[in-house]
Amino acid sequence: MEMATTFLRQLDHIAPEFRTYQDGILIELAFDRTIGTEQVSASTLLETADDLTTRLRTQTTQALLLASKIHAFDAHAPSRIAEMMSLHGYFKSHRLSHPLNAYSTALFISRISPQDMVLERTVQLYTLLKKQHRFIVSPLLTSFVYFHATTRGDLDELASRIEAVYQRLKRRFGRAQQTYIVALLFSLLPEDDWDRYIAQLESSCKLHRKHHVPLSFHGMLALLGDPNIHASALQQMAETLRSDLRFKYRRDLVYLTAIRLYLSQQTILQQLFPSSILPPDSADATPFLLFPVDLTDTSHATDGGIDGGFDGGSDGGSDGGGSGE
């Protein structure tokens, strides 16, 4: 509840500073300020957004959201932007870029201090996965592919491991980008635990079905254990958020925002993953793992009316719909 209250205070503070932006954008900016470790003025954020608009040749709103992600965790934004641009250039040279989402992917990976060898393995593994699922694997998922590339093992074996989880999930949730995101997430975990997490994923989908939560978020919730244990806290947080007028016309964001805030507090998520995929400062690992917008398809959590959102549109929902193989 305290996290929801803090978020609403940030929303109240941001709204007058960015009054020309839609409620969905304000909600996203407030979220970054709530979970972030750094605070900057509105003028600084807008200045960075203007710079990114020119550099990336993107819309001001999209640049603002990326600037917000940068300033939330980086005390020196120019250094982070330089690293992000360098990584973007690397992925672009290997045709793993998209006009929008490649930048937030590069931003995220830059925070993990990537080694050249791991980046090379990422490209190679992506190429293998792309052969199996031309329409499912996309640069949206490069960050999760990077996680797998940091682990030991032959790349063909890693690809087979991911495919094994995906086939289990596909039978229940269908062929979709969101299903593949969960497969990439669960396949980072010990094989003996797969069935348990899939069962908890199904339970989460049933429990929160009326809230239309993307499957990838159900996957995150499944990692916390029995979804019923967390249901009450999530519901209370959602009710606290629902009282704010800025959610009046964005009811679709109430429960999703509650889940994102709730997940940001769960340190157990850090402990589930191999240490090799965590940033050097593991104290900030959870936000980095969970909230680069392109990883978990939160485009509708920003502004679906602007080119499908910050990172270029939705790839399927919690019902398993979306593009096929």
Side-chain angles (χ1 to χ4, degrees):
M1 294 299 293
E2 182 179 348
M3 179 68 85
T5 303
T6 300
F7 168 82
L8 291 179
R9 283 201 300 265
Q10 292 288 0
L11 193 53
D12 286 339
H13 180 69
I14 284 171
E17 299 174 324
F18 298 92
R19 58 182 178 275
T20 60
Y21 289 91
Q22 298 179 20
D23 290 336
I25 303 300
L26 300 180
I27 290 167
E28 190 67 16
L29 297 178
F31 176 81
D32 290 339
R33 285 197 180 184
T34 302
I35 70 165
T37 58
E38 305 293 330
Q39 296 287 329
V40 296
S41 65
S43 59
T44 298
L45 193 56
L46 289 169
E47 182 179 340
T48 300
D50 288 341
D51 177 53
L52 291 172
T53 299
T54 302
R55 287 186 187 225
L56 312 187
R57 299 178 183 177
T58 187
Q59 297 183 26
T60 302
T61 302
Q62 294 160 338
L64 175 63
L65 291 168
L66 182 56
S68 178
K69 302 295 175 189
I70 293 169
H71 281 293
F73 294 101
D74 290 290
H76 190 250
S79 297
R80 178 58 60 205
I81 292 172
E83 292 184 33
M84 177 190 74
M85 296 296 289
S86 177
L87 267 176
H88 173 267
Y90 176 83
F91 286 127
K92 185 177 182 180
S93 69
H94 290 84
R95 304 184 70 180
L96 267 71
S97 67
H98 179 281
L100 299 178
N101 63 49
Y103 289 104
S104 50
T105 296
L107 168 63
F108 177 46
I109 294 178
S110 75
R111 288 178 166 141
I112 315 177
S113 301
Q115 299 177 353
D116 290 344
M117 181 185 68
V118 178
L119 291 175
E120 291 171 5
R121 278 172 60 86
T122 300
V123 173
Q124 293 167 3
L125 180 57
Y126 176 89
T127 302
L128 285 174
L129 299 177
K130 187 74 170 178
K131 290 178 180 178
Q132 292 178 303
H133 300 289
R134 180 181 176 187
F135 300 110
I136 291 182
V137 184
S138 79
L140 282 168
L141 310 181
T142 305
S143 299
F144 274 157
V145 176
Y146 175 87
F147 293 163
H148 284 277
T150 65
T151 62
R152 296 179 181 179
D154 179 77
L155 293 180
D156 286 314
E157 293 177 358
L158 291 177
S160 296
R161 181 183 179 88
I162 294 167
E163 182 66 16
V165 179
Y166 175 67
Q167 290 299 325
R168 293 193 198 184
L169 291 169
K170 188 177 70 171
R171 287 194 291 269
R172 170 62 181 84
F173 300 102
R175 302 168 178 173
Q177 194 90 271
Q178 286 280 313
T179 307
Y180 206 76
I181 290 173
V182 178
L184 285 165
L185 176 65
F186 283 6
S187 54
L188 285 165
L189 304 169
E191 186 172 354
D192 291 344
D193 293 334
W194 290 351
D195 287 338
R196 175 162 58 92
Y197 286 119
I198 291 174
Q200 288 168 179
L201 174 66
E202 291 181 327
S203 178
S204 180
C205 289
K206 292 177 182 177
L207 189 62
H208 306 296
R209 184 172 184 174
K210 67 178 181 179
H211 299 295
H212 306 292
V213 177
L215 187 65
S216 55
F217 280 87
H218 286 298
M220 294 290 185
L221 289 173
L223 297 180
L224 302 182
D226 182 358
N228 290 285
I229 295 175
H230 306 276
S232 178
L234 278 172
Q235 186 63 41
Q236 291 178 28
M237 188 175 286
E239 289 304 315
T240 300
L241 299 179
R242 201 183 308 276
S243 64
D244 192 279
L245 289 176
R246 296 172 192 88
F247 282 100
K248 181 178 181 181
Y249 298 107
R250 295 310 304 264
R251 296 294 185 188
D252 57 315
L253 300 185
V254 173
Y255 214 78
L256 180 59
T257 303
I259 290 175
R260 296 173 76 197
L261 291 170
Y262 187 77
L263 286 170
S264 71
Q265 298 176 287
Q266 309 304 313
T267 56
I268 187 176
L269 293 174
Q270 295 171 223
Q271 302 165 16
L272 291 172
F273 297 99
S275 59
S276 58
I277 73 172
L278 301 179
D281 181 4
S282 60
D284 294 331
T286 300
F288 292 158
L289 281 172
L290 299 181
F291 303 117
V293 286
D294 61 337
L295 277 188
T296 43
D297 185 28
T298 60
S299 56
H300 55 296
T302 54
D303 187 0
I306 301 179
D307 286 348
F310 173 56
D311 273 324
S314 175
D315 294 292
S318 58
D319 61 355
S323 60
E325 294 172 63

